[in-house]
């Protein structure tokens, strides 16, 4: 038994009783396992992850276990979705803790009627397995075999991270080819990723059903993300900027407002208010951030819209970049990366009747979730918002 396998066994021993999860790293073993499930008539669901698991990932697994007897979780940090200057090397890796969490989740689901399955397999390949030809490249015009879903991948997150969705679509296509799952489960937080995978499945006639689970949130509304561990105390205190901004937009929506100006104005006003508060603080106390974009877009094409048709619906989305901590103080908790790493935060809200989510429980609206989790009356500025054909790029630098 090699050292890696020994450490895995030790980690799983700590996680309680019950059948151990099969950790697979090669294609032949994975296909044998999948064929056995197919032969026995069991449904297989895939939950793709990059590890550093949190409650948001576990919610995806629980959703999958309601519909499939076998849940496969992939844990692979995909290099092709990181740009040349992005945080690939520093991306959090918590492999043994991930194993323990999944085993404990299996134990917690035992005996509950709502779950028909459990995690049976973790697919943890190397990059040589996932990219057996040319070494993968993170350059925009680099060599390699890639999947490009355009124009969806060119806007919003794709505009800020040009190779990101090319890498995502490519690795998900590989995983779908390898596992051939009956269903694949993603979270609403990454709504643009969801729409790109949905388009890819349709355009390439992939025999897998896409399911989307609602965003899991912290107590103050911040969307759960593996990158939140970079925040530290100072940046974490205001990291729910997008959530508060969307709350303000939701208040306008609930009052019957439907135009771009009426829905984005309150959101940008909240961001500006938080910006001004932080700017007034000394560098040793403030948390700097920039609002990359606030978008009101068509739920299928992601084209910016001027008003919301309730039957067609719309996606309100935003991205904020938390800047490195200024003048760290003695004893201050700075998070992973010692406060030096910019942290990109994204979030979204669905307006109207457009049905993005096949799962029934995923139809819980963010509006309902938000009522008990954040302030209901955020201060709303009278900032005017024009009605452009592009998302609102609102630089809110506080450093």
């Amino acid at each position: 038994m090699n050292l890696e396998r020994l450490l895995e066994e030790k980690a799983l021993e700590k996680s309680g009783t019950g059948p151990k999860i099969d950790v697979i790293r090669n294609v032949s073993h994975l296909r044998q396992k999948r064929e056995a499930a197919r032969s026995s008539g069991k449904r297989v669901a895939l939950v793709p992850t990059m590890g550093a698991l949190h409650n948001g990932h576990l919610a995806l697994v629980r959703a999958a276990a309601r519909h499939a007897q076998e849940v496969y979780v992939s844990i692979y940090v995909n290099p092709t979705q990181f740009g040349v200057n992005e945080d690939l090397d520093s991306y959090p890796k918590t492999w043994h803790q991930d194993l323990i969490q999944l085993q404990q989740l299996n134990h917690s689901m035992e005996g509950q009627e709502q779950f028909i399955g459990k995690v049976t397999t973790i697919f943890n390949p190397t990059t040589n397995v996932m990219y057996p030809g040319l070494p993968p490249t993170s350059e925009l015009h680099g060599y390699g075999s890639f999947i490009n879903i355009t124009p969806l991948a060119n806007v919003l997150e794709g505009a800020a991270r040009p190779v990101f969705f090319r890498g995502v679509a490519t690795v998900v296509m590989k995983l779908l080819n390898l596992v051939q799952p009956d269903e694949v489960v993603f979270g609403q937080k990454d709504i643009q990723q969801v729409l790109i995978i949905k388009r890819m499945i349709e355009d390439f006639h992939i025999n897998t059903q896409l399911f989307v689970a609602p965003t899991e949130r912290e107590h103050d509304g911040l969307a759960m993300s593996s990158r939140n561990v970079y925040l530290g105390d100072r940046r974490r205190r205001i990291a729910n900027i997008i959530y508060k901004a969307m709350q303000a937009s939701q208040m306008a929506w609930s009052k019957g407002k439907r135009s771009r100006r009426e829905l984005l104005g309150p959101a940008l006003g909240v961001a500006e208010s938080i910006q001004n508060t932080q700017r007034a603080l000394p560098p040793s106390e403030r948390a700097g951030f920039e609002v990359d974009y606030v978008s009101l877009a068509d739920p299928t094409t992601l084209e910016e819209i001027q008003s919301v048709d309730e039957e067609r619906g719309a996606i309100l989305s935003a991205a904020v970049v938390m800047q490195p901590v200024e003048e760290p103080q003695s004893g201050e908790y700075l998070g992973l990366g010692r406060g030096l790493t910019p942290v990109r935060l994204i979030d979204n809200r669905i307006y109207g009747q457009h049905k993005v989510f096949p799962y029934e429980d995923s139809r819980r609206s963010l509006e309902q979730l938000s009522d008990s989790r954040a302030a209901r009356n955020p201060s709303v500025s009278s900032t005017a918002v024009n009605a452009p054909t592009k998302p609102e790029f609102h630089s809110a630098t506080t450093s």
Side-chain angles (χ1 to χ4, degrees):
M1 178 180 292
N2 62 32
L3 178 60
E4 187 65 30
R5 175 61 69 178
L6 178 61
L7 291 173
E8 287 168 9
E9 291 294 330
K10 291 292 185 182
L12 293 174
E13 284 173 8
K14 296 178 182 178
S15 61
T17 59
K20 297 298 185 288
I21 300 170
D22 193 5
V23 178
I24 296 177
R25 292 192 171 88
N26 64 74
V27 172
S28 60
H29 188 186
L30 178 68
R31 286 178 169 162
Q32 290 171 8
K33 184 79 179 284
R34 179 64 182 94
E35 184 56 37
R38 183 181 291 108
S39 298
S40 61
K42 295 179 179 178
R43 286 183 61 82
V44 169
L46 171 65
V47 180
T49 82
M50 294 206 302
L53 302 184
H54 51 69
N55 285 337
H57 294 112
L58 301 185
L60 302 184
V61 174
R62 282 191 290 268
R66 293 188 184 100
H67 294 261
Q69 289 89 353
E70 294 199 15
V71 179
Y72 290 24
V73 177
S74 65
I75 296 179
Y76 174 63
V77 181
N78 175 38
T80 64
Q81 66 194 63
F82 291 81
V84 174
N85 297 315
E86 292 184 0
D87 58 345
L88 173 60
D89 292 337
S90 64
Y91 191 85
K93 300 173 181 66
T94 57
W95 168 246
H96 295 103
Q97 184 59 33
D98 292 346
L99 294 182
I100 292 171
Q101 287 191 80
L102 292 174
Q103 188 69 50
Q104 290 177 338
L105 178 60
N106 272 355
H107 183 65
S108 72
M109 292 190 297
E110 288 180 2
Q112 296 192 42
E113 292 184 0
Q114 61 180 309
F115 301 113
I116 65 171
K118 61 185 179 183
V119 180
T120 63
T121 303
I122 297 172
F123 183 46
N124 178 229
T126 65
T127 293
N128 285 338
V129 169
M130 293 303 292
Y131 294 89
L134 290 170
T137 179
S138 293
E139 297 174 352
L140 183 58
H141 301 293
Y143 295 112
S145 301
F146 299 114
I147 301 293
N148 283 297
I149 308 298
T150 57
L152 281 177
N154 296 340
V155 299
L156 303 176
E157 288 302 293
R161 307 177 66 190
V163 303
F164 176 65
F165 288 121
R166 181 185 74 179
V168 168
T170 299
V171 78
V172 173
M173 175 69 89
K174 289 170 178 282
L175 290 170
L176 294 179
N177 283 337
L178 290 169
V179 178
Q180 298 181 13
D182 297 290
E183 60 191 58
V184 62
V185 185
F186 287 93
Q188 182 193 330
K189 180 181 77 71
D190 301 298
I191 191 68
Q192 187 174 2
Q193 172 177 278
V194 167
L195 295 177
I196 287 170
I197 299 305
K198 181 174 183 290
R199 177 70 58 81
M200 183 180 77
I201 287 174
E202 293 171 351
D203 285 353
F204 289 92
H205 302 284
I206 300 171
N207 190 26
T208 295
Q209 188 173 9
L210 170 66
F211 289 116
V212 184
T215 302
E216 292 292 314
R217 299 181 178 278
E218 304 289 355
H219 69 280
D220 62 350
L222 174 66
M224 291 186 179
S225 169
S226 297
R227 285 189 167 89
N228 290 352
V229 297
Y230 290 111
L231 290 171
D233 290 341
R234 192 192 309 186
R235 294 188 291 183
R236 175 63 184 85
R237 281 193 289 270
I238 67 162
N240 63 346
I241 303 161
I242 302 177
Y243 183 79
K244 288 183 175 181
M246 290 188 174
Q247 283 289 89
S249 178
Q250 168 58 31
M251 290 176 63
W253 173 269
S254 66
K255 294 176 181 178
K257 308 299 183 182
R258 297 294 182 266
S259 75
R260 182 183 189 86
R261 177 186 298 271
E262 293 168 328
L263 293 173
L264 295 193
L268 291 175
V270 167
E272 183 178 3
S273 176
I274 297 173
Q275 169 196 26
N276 290 337
T277 299
Q278 291 300 308
R279 180 179 290 167
L281 297 174
S284 60
E285 297 179 19
R286 69 188 176 203
F289 68 90
E290 295 179 0
V291 178
D292 188 358
Y293 63 81
V294 180
S295 166
L296 186 69
D298 180 274
T300 300
T301 67
L302 289 183
E303 293 177 353
E304 297 298 312
I305 59 176
Q306 310 309 315
S307 63
V308 180
D309 179 311
E310 290 194 37
E311 184 173 342
R312 184 165 180 80
I315 296 174
L316 174 68
S317 64
V320 165
V321 180
M322 303 298 298
Q323 297 301 308
V325 174
E326 298 179 78
E327 297 186 10
Q329 299 300 292
S330 176
E332 179 180 8
Y333 177 65
L334 300 172
L336 186 67
R338 298 178 291 116
L340 301 175
T341 304
V343 184
R344 188 175 185 85
L345 304 174
I346 61 173
D347 207 344
N348 63 83
R349 183 181 296 268
I350 308 296
Y351 284 144
Q353 302 300 314
H354 184 81
K355 293 186 178 180
V356 177
F357 312 122
Y359 274 146
E360 289 184 5
D361 61 342
S362 301
R363 292 302 299 158
R364 292 181 300 154
S365 67
L366 291 179
E367 294 86 344
Q368 293 170 323
L369 289 174
S370 67
D371 284 344
S372 62
R373 292 183 177 174
R376 301 186 182 189
N377 296 296
S379 59
V380 178
S381 166
S382 59
T383 302
V385 180
N386 296 324
T389 56
K390 298 188 294 184
E392 304 292 334
F393 290 90
H394 182 75
S395 294
T397 307
T398 66
S399 53

